[in-house]
Amino acid sequence: MKNVLSNKILAWYDNHKRDLPWRSYQGFQDKIYKVLVSEFMLQQTQVKTVIPFFTNFIEVFPNFKKLSKAKLEKVYKLWQGLGYYSRAKNLLKTAKIVQSKYNGRLPADFEILKSFPGIGDYTASAIMAIAFNKDYIGIDGNVERFIARLFGYKNNKKKFKNSILLKLKEIKSKKNFSLFAQALMEIGALICTPQNPRCSICPANKNCISFKKKDFNYKILKKKVNIKRYYLLYAKQKNKILFLKSKKKLLQDFVNLPLIEYKKNLFNIDFKKNYFFFEGKPKIMNRDFVHNISNIKMLIKIVFFKRISKINDNQFYWIHFKKIDNFLLSNFSKKFIKLVRTENIKYV
């Protein structure tokens, strides 16, 4: 029965898998490299978002050798819009290690993979299975949901994840590890979706306890959303916008619109002490916006400064509106600039 189930899953994947760019490769080493890059990009990011970034990245850096020689600024530029820039920096570090220490060939060793920057248990398992066809399975949210429903598990006990792993070991393919790992992810993404699963076309519906009971809910342990409130300081003079140089080492090549986290009234904040001198009182704009980073929800109030009399040049840039795209911007800064460009924002 177990082999029959894995064969059903593999047959479905063979006929219905998506045509994704990291599944198209020329030779074994090309496959390994593309799997690695895709796994870095897919961390906390949807497939449809990753596809154009992956395609552009591979055109510029088609292998470990090319990537290992790259400047971080160029890697960041290609990554801009994907977010979580630590992934880009870690990918570059990994490429340099692979090129210098392993002659440009990624080792097929789980523990060595985990020693590389940015690679944990899940990513190492996915690479071992997909790239090297080894007896591993990366359990992401899609795989976990599919297996939980298949066996009627509820995520309400400490041993839930271990139960998922044990069942996977029972039903997994005995040799097609790469295809089976991808098939599980694909079914979870395309059929066994969080809402309205497409059970009628699922290859495992006859074996699925949730389908038989018509009960597709299982408790999802969500991360607690932390709400943080900020003032975005928007200063503009002669078609130039004031940007703050990033203080974080990871984002040292980035510029941001200045943010101040607040827990008190705007006019009780000492702007002179924190950032710059301004003439007159700042105005609060009539548009606020929300920006999400992982489990943090940023509620941002936009504050407009008409005239700035003095700034610390070591901390700030004045960037002409037409030249903003030449700089590396954080995602929330890009989001706001897009808003400025597409809508007539006025302050009150």
Side-chain angles (χ1 to χ4, degrees):
M1 179 64 71
K2 295 167 186 174
N3 288 337
V4 171
L5 181 56
S6 64
N7 288 337
K8 285 181 180 179
I9 291 171
L10 286 169
W12 177 90
Y13 180 71
D14 187 50
N15 291 316
H16 299 92
K17 63 183 177 184
R18 287 172 289 184
D19 183 17
L20 301 176
W22 46 89
R23 290 176 179 166
S24 176
Y25 44 83
Q26 298 176 341
F28 185 53
Q29 292 304 319
D30 186 43
K31 174 184 179 180
I32 293 169
Y33 176 70
K34 286 180 176 176
V35 169
L36 177 76
V37 173
S38 68
E39 287 301 324
F40 267 86
M41 288 187 169
L42 287 165
Q43 291 171 6
Q44 302 184 58
T45 309
Q46 294 183 345
V47 167
K48 64 181 180 181
T49 302
V50 167
I51 289 174
F53 288 94
F54 177 87
T55 302
N56 293 336
F57 194 91
I58 293 297
E59 285 181 2
V60 179
F61 303 121
N63 50 50
F64 282 115
K65 187 175 182 179
K66 286 278 188 181
L67 179 56
S68 67
K69 295 179 179 179
K71 292 184 177 180
L72 180 59
E73 184 179 4
K74 190 168 185 179
V75 175
Y76 276 157
K77 195 68 177 178
L78 288 171
W79 208 273
Q80 193 171 2
L82 267 180
Y84 303 104
Y85 287 92
S86 60
R87 297 179 298 172
K89 192 170 187 176
N90 286 333
L91 176 58
L92 179 58
K93 286 182 178 179
T94 294
K96 290 180 180 295
I97 295 171
V98 171
Q99 188 63 33
S100 62
K101 191 173 181 179
Y102 298 97
N103 197 29
R105 294 176 180 268
L106 191 69
D109 185 292
F110 181 78
E111 294 301 328
I112 293 177
L113 288 176
K114 281 181 59 180
S115 72
F116 292 145
I119 297 182
D121 286 341
Y122 168 75
T123 302
S125 296
I127 292 170
M128 288 295 290
I130 298 170
F132 295 109
N133 195 37
K134 298 297 183 181
D135 190 3
Y136 287 83
I137 293 178
I139 305 177
D140 65 358
N142 289 326
V143 173
E144 181 181 287
R145 182 175 58 254
F146 173 53
I147 299 301
R149 284 174 171 166
L150 186 60
F151 293 99
Y153 290 156
K154 304 295 181 182
N155 194 356
N156 56 5
K157 55 183 180 180
K158 294 180 179 179
K159 296 183 179 180
F160 172 76
K161 291 187 179 296
N162 188 55
S163 298
I164 296 292
L165 180 60
L166 291 175
K167 281 299 179 184
L168 276 171
K169 288 181 178 180
E170 286 183 19
I171 69 169
K172 68 184 178 183
S173 171
K174 301 305 179 185
K175 57 181 180 179
N176 295 313
F177 305 117
S178 177
L179 295 177
F180 189 70
Q182 293 177 82
L184 291 174
M185 296 175 185
E186 201 80 333
I187 290 174
L190 301 181
I191 291 182
C192 198
T193 52
Q195 304 296 326
N196 303 315
R198 304 165 66 195
C199 300
S200 62
I201 60 172
C202 178
N205 57 15
K206 292 182 179 179
N207 306 90
C208 182
I209 292 176
S210 295
F211 178 63
K212 293 174 182 178
K213 292 182 176 181
K214 303 300 179 187
D215 176 12
F216 304 105
N217 295 318
Y218 75 103
K219 188 177 180 181
I220 301 173
L221 300 180
K222 294 183 178 180
K223 291 182 179 179
K224 182 181 178 181
V225 176
N226 296 316
I227 297 176
K228 293 190 176 183
R229 293 172 171 82
Y230 296 88
Y231 290 120
L232 186 156
L233 310 181
Y234 180 45
K236 185 178 178 183
Q237 290 185 353
K238 295 181 180 179
N239 292 320
K240 292 183 179 180
I241 297 176
L242 193 68
F243 283 87
L244 176 68
K245 298 176 184 178
S246 179
K247 296 179 181 179
K248 294 182 179 180
K249 188 175 180 181
L250 171 63
L251 302 176
Q252 60 188 358
D253 297 311
F254 284 73
V255 295
N256 301 305
L257 289 161
L259 283 181
I260 290 181
E261 186 175 359
Y262 73 89
K263 296 180 181 178
K264 54 186 177 179
N265 186 278
L266 166 67
F267 299 105
N268 291 330
I269 294 176
D270 187 350
F271 287 101
K272 294 183 180 180
K273 179 180 178 181
N274 284 282
Y275 285 107
F276 44 73
F277 296 94
F278 57 86
E279 298 176 11
K281 288 186 176 181
K283 306 284 187 177
I284 300 178
M285 297 177 71
N286 61 2
R287 283 293 298 270
D288 299 342
F289 69 97
V290 177
H291 184 66
N292 297 309
I293 302 177
S294 188
N295 64 324
I296 298 174
K297 185 176 185 179
M298 300 171 66
L299 303 180
I300 302 171
K301 287 187 175 296
I302 304 163
V303 183
F304 188 94
F305 291 85
K306 273 190 172 181
R307 292 179 297 277
I308 307 298
S309 59
K310 184 179 179 181
I311 63 171
N312 182 344
D313 291 332
N314 293 323
Q315 287 184 289
F316 292 91
Y317 289 107
W318 281 107
I319 300 177
H320 196 283
F321 201 77
K322 293 182 179 179
K323 296 182 179 180
I324 289 174
D325 291 337
N326 295 333
F327 291 80
L328 293 169
L329 305 183
S330 63
N331 280 347
F332 87 84
S333 296
K334 286 183 66 179
K335 188 174 183 178
F336 177 72
I337 294 301
K338 183 179 180 180
L339 189 67
V340 172
R341 285 172 168 166
T342 56
E343 299 186 27
N344 183 24
I345 297 179
K346 297 180 180 179
Y347 67 93
V348 293

